[in-house]
Amino acid sequence: ILDLNAAAVPLREIAVAVRDTDTYVPLLRTAFDRFGIPARFYFPRSLRHHPAAIFLNGLIEGVLHHWDFEPTLRAFRAHPRWGTHPAFDRFDFAIREQLPARGASEFLALAGTSQDKPSWLQGRLDECLRIAPWKDDLLRPAEWAARMEKVATGLYRPAQPDPADAVSNVDIDAARSHSAALSAWIHAVASIGNFWSEPNRPISLEAFWTIAADAVDSAVIHQPDDRANVVHVMSVQEARQWNVHTLILCGL
């Protein structure tokens, strides 16, 4: 690809077709980033495995299951802003020493054992745990969806890269994926509004989430990418519809 591009072949005129996506797509993402080759991957990603879904699903599951420490910790670890911070690592150790345990107040109290005084992490966790009273609420399905959208957009805020830092293609792709995954999660939750025959009848969070969780599990992320001069990576079936200068076939 680099040789072709050096010979005046635009990147947009080069495509890569793969049949075994599980094997080749991760390798291609890594290789293209290593060599600085911008690429657009025409494969939808499963939402359920994205950090956005892990975090937001974990919040709702925490409400329903009285904030069981182990799954709640796993959910909060997925937060893109503070889940990888050293303060969270110390909090992680404090939580694991108490397993098995549950409870919002007990979980929050352990964040105060961090070396940071006052604990900024405790404030972040407190914002998340404030939805605990949802368990006893009765709302219409549309109201549940609106409430979840507000919480999702308020709590799932990826960190902004420092303009002074070098930004790689992986960083750009990750930033795009967080935004796309958040939108996909909100859309999946809102999409079940017509499931109930009586949409104006108030229901519990558990009843709403039973259906919404299935919608999230089956949703995919369609990540927008408006770059023009990039290599196209697609399935062999999709490649049949393209007319490019060079088509590279992986593993065929």
Side-chain angles (χ1 to χ4, degrees):
I1 290 174
L2 293 175
D3 289 342
L4 285 167
N5 190 231
V9 178
L11 293 176
R12 64 177 177 273
E13 287 294 328
I14 303 173
V16 180
V18 298
R19 184 185 301 276
D20 183 359
T21 57
D22 290 342
T23 298
Y24 282 102
V25 169
L27 293 173
L28 289 170
R29 289 185 185 277
T30 302
F32 284 178
D33 180 64
R34 175 185 174 190
F35 290 98
I37 300 173
R40 181 183 304 164
F41 289 78
Y42 292 79
F43 302 97
R45 301 181 182 181
S46 173
L47 174 61
R48 64 183 300 182
H49 300 300
H50 192 277
I54 294 173
F55 175 77
L56 295 171
N57 288 1
L59 288 181
I60 308 303
E61 296 290 343
V63 174
L64 295 174
H65 299 101
H66 305 288
W67 305 101
D68 187 336
F69 278 18
E70 188 169 3
T72 301
L73 181 67
R74 184 165 54 249
F76 287 172
R77 171 65 79 178
H79 194 281
R81 184 182 292 268
W82 36 262
T84 57
H85 194 279
F88 195 91
D89 291 336
R90 296 191 290 271
F91 173 65
D92 188 303
F93 285 120
I95 287 290
R96 294 184 183 280
E97 290 176 354
Q98 304 298 320
L99 295 179
R102 65 179 66 230
S105 59
E106 293 81 0
F107 189 86
L108 184 62
L110 290 173
T113 62
S114 167
Q115 296 177 11
D116 303 302
K117 299 295 183 181
S119 175
W120 62 266
L121 179 60
Q122 197 169 30
R124 300 294 183 273
L125 297 176
D126 181 56
E127 292 178 358
C128 299
L129 297 172
R130 288 176 188 173
I131 67 172
W134 286 13
K135 184 175 177 61
D136 301 321
D137 291 346
L138 295 175
L139 299 175
R140 291 178 296 143
E143 292 173 329
W144 278 122
R147 178 180 280 192
M148 290 184 183
E149 177 180 358
K150 182 178 180 180
V151 166
T153 55
L155 295 180
Y156 194 79
R157 299 186 294 269
Q160 298 298 320
D162 189 334
D165 295 337
V167 180
S168 67
N169 290 331
V170 170
D171 296 327
I172 296 173
D173 184 69
R176 289 173 177 267
S177 78
H178 285 298
S179 177
L182 177 60
S183 297
W185 191 90
I186 292 172
H187 177 76
V189 170
S191 69
I192 64 170
N194 295 325
F195 176 82
W196 288 269
S197 59
E198 299 180 74
N200 291 322
R201 180 181 179 182
I203 60 175
S204 66
L205 173 64
E206 183 176 11
F208 180 84
W209 184 244
T210 298
I211 308 303
D214 287 340
V216 172
D217 283 348
S218 61
V220 295
I221 305 170
H222 294 283
Q223 191 166 315
D225 191 339
D226 55 2
R227 294 174 298 171
N229 193 33
V230 296
V231 174
H232 308 283
V233 184
M234 64 193 74
S235 69
V236 291
Q237 290 80 14
E238 174 70 18
R240 294 180 299 181
Q241 307 175 55
W242 285 67
N243 182 16
V244 292
H245 178 280
T246 304
L247 177 66
I248 301 171
L249 305 175
C250 292
L252 300 182

